[in-house]
Amino acid sequence: MHFFLFLAASLSAVRAAPFELISKRALGDHEWTRNTRDGCPAYLEEGQYEYPHYITHISQSEPDKAFGPQFNGLITPNEISSIFSFDVPASRADANCTLEFLFPRQDQLKTSNFTYEGAGSFTFFGYVAGSCPGEETTFNNQPTAGIFPPFPPIHMEPGYAYTLDVGPCIFSAGTCVAGLTSSNDTTFEFFQDTDDCPIGIYNAYSYGLPCPPEHCF
């Protein structure tokens, strides 16, 4: 079982653990269907996923500024970071949580858009389960940090689906989990959208034994 420090820090554990990228898969135009593969979420099966229920930004240069709730994820080099928060229902205690970032190309999107400029390095940092952002969140007033430092940056670029972790939901069921995404070299802004061509960070549910990493998309 892989436990990591993500923005997902506690989807599979109560406390944050080192981040680990499980898979990166190219997205083909014909693959924008919501289905399952070998019992594992391929994309977004209706009723079996969560989108972030709260998104906000924090600023290093304006550390006491509260941005409040946002619709877009926004990351700029060494300045603006985004916090994404999920509410995991108590009823999902017996499920597996698959954390994934879906990053289509611009021409694949129907109702969303993004700006992306830079080398594509992103760092993820997880907060303790139950400690999540609100209207009062600022750079100087963040949720409680997990016990591990951020993992070295991973590379993300358009046209791919990134599976970040697969683990039991039991420890986060019935509470919120949140994490921070930042970059030292990339400007990235996107409208989190669940259209048939979705973009953004999601927590997908499955049941039974977790699937092998090569099938976890």
Side-chain angles (χ1 to χ4, degrees), residues 3-5 15-19 124-126 145-151:
F3 296 102
F4 62 92
L5 164 80
R15 61 187 185 183
F19 175 84
F124 299 90
F125 180 81
I147 64 172
F148 290 92
F151 195 79

Side-chain angles (χ1 to χ4, degrees), residues 54 56-68 79 81 83 127 132-144 180:
Y54 196 88
T56 194
H57 310 148
I58 58 174
S59 168
Q60 292 191 46
S61 65
E62 299 180 273
D64 294 316
K65 179 178 179 178
F67 288 80
E79 166 53 4
S81 300
I83 299 175
Y127 302 112
C132 290
E135 294 187 0
E136 74 289 350
T137 298
T138 67
F139 183 85
N140 283 338
N141 185 31
Q142 298 181 45
T144 303
L180 178 75

Side-chain angles (χ1 to χ4, degrees), residues 165-199:
D165 196 35
V166 182
C169 302
I170 185 170
F171 299 109
S172 55
T175 189
C176 60
V177 288
L180 178 75
T181 304
S182 59
S183 179
N184 64 359
D185 60 18
T186 302
T187 295
F188 181 32
E189 182 173 13
F190 65 94
F191 174 62
Q192 174 89 27
D193 187 29
T194 59
D195 186 68
D196 285 342
C197 183
I199 183 173

